[in-house]
Amino acid sequence: MKKWSLIVINIIFYLLLLLDAIVTYKWGEDYIVLVGIYIFLASSTFLLERALRDNIILLKKLSFADVIVRVGAMLLYLTGVYSDMIRYISWCGIVVCFCINSYLQVRIYNVIKKKSIPTRFILSYSQIVTQFKEVCSTSNEHRKEIEEMQSMMQYIEKRKGIVITIWASFYINFILASKNQMVEIILIIIELIIFYIFVKLQLHAIYSEYLSKNNVFFACASAILGCAIIYMGTVIQHNSNNYINISIWMLGIIFWSPYINESYLLKEQLNNNLKNIMQL
């Protein structure tokens, strides 16, 4: 990401709030623009994730404040959607939030510029797999390191599979659950079995020392809470107001952020292991 990317994302975020307000006022609720707002809200957290990962103290403080102010603007907007009187007050607050975000981003830009924070080069997962296969085909040495990498890649593939299954089950639940109570009970039982496998996979990461215990427990608890929130959005709030439904879904997805960060850490570890094997 370029130094000015966060500034551009911030401007687009506030422009989308304005666009959604115009669309809602003229034609009624429109969840498509709302999804775009949430996407840019989530995109604006990339610098905070980097600062937390690299423990850059000043950037952590500035980027955390920047994200919190933007979340505050989102809450003000959702509060003002349903009342004309509150709407004007909320937009005054949103303008203040935009000014605070702009000030924070100027400071963030200056910090990054002065510190010259380097961009770390990490191969994509597919590139790691390709290079790993080349190493295996050209060398019979370092079998222990190679077997460890194979084991970790198998674990990553299992993680991918179980996550795809979880989200597919939610989609099926969303389509079928409200039509038949017996179908809903069966789907809940299936989802509980899937989550049992999910938790076992998370614990395997601790036993195999792929990830730290604290990181795994936090990511696991956060993902399960996120799924519980999404379940409310798919079943309890089924066919309810679009704004409430979409907001519940997006909130649930945000709770998966620590689990997504785990995937980054695993890829980073694979990248380092591959580099070490190639240098041996």
Side-chain angles (χ1 to χ4, degrees), residues 91-108:
W91 271 103
C92 289
I94 289 168
V95 171
V96 172
C97 288
F98 175 74
C99 294
I100 295 171
N101 277 133
S102 301
Y103 166 74
L104 288 169
Q105 281 153 23
V106 169
R107 288 201 61 190
I108 288 169

Side-chain angles (χ1 to χ4, degrees), residues 113-250:
K113 192 175 180 180
K114 286 178 183 177
K115 287 184 175 290
S116 299
I117 297 169
T119 302
R120 292 180 299 176
F121 177 70
I122 297 178
L123 295 170
S124 68
Y125 180 71
S126 60
Q127 288 173 321
I128 292 172
V129 171
T130 301
Q131 290 198 15
F132 175 71
K133 287 179 180 177
E134 290 175 3
V135 170
C136 291
S137 62
T138 57
S139 174
N140 292 322
E141 300 176 0
H142 321 301
R143 297 313 304 173
K144 184 180 177 182
E145 291 83 357
I146 288 173
E147 285 171 5
E148 285 176 356
M149 273 199 71
Q150 283 176 329
S151 176
M152 187 180 291
M153 286 192 290
Q154 288 171 0
Y155 172 73
I156 290 172
E157 293 299 332
K158 288 177 182 176
R159 276 170 58 98
K160 284 182 182 179
I162 197 66
V163 170
I164 291 170
T165 306
I166 286 171
W167 289 98
S169 71
F170 274 118
Y171 180 74
I172 294 168
N173 206 330
F174 179 74
I175 300 297
L176 302 176
S178 63
K179 297 180 180 179
N180 188 304
Q181 192 172 8
M182 182 58 68
V183 172
E184 183 177 344
I185 293 169
I186 293 170
L187 287 172
I188 289 172
I189 293 170
I190 293 170
E191 284 168 359
L192 288 173
I193 294 169
I194 294 168
F195 273 108
Y196 172 74
I197 299 169
F198 170 77
V199 171
K200 280 196 72 174
L201 272 177
Q202 286 292 90
L203 292 176
H204 180 69
I206 299 173
Y207 300 144
S208 303
E209 297 183 347
Y210 297 151
L211 298 163
S212 70
K213 185 186 294 185
N214 290 340
N215 188 56
V216 168
F217 284 157
F218 178 68
C220 190
S222 182
I224 291 172
L225 180 57
C227 284
I229 292 170
I230 292 169
Y231 181 79
M232 290 171 59
T234 55
V235 179
I236 299 173
Q237 289 291 337
H238 191 77
N239 292 328
S240 70
N241 182 282
N242 275 333
Y243 277 92
I244 295 173
N245 223 335
I246 295 296
S247 298
I248 288 173
W249 262 84
M250 290 299 172

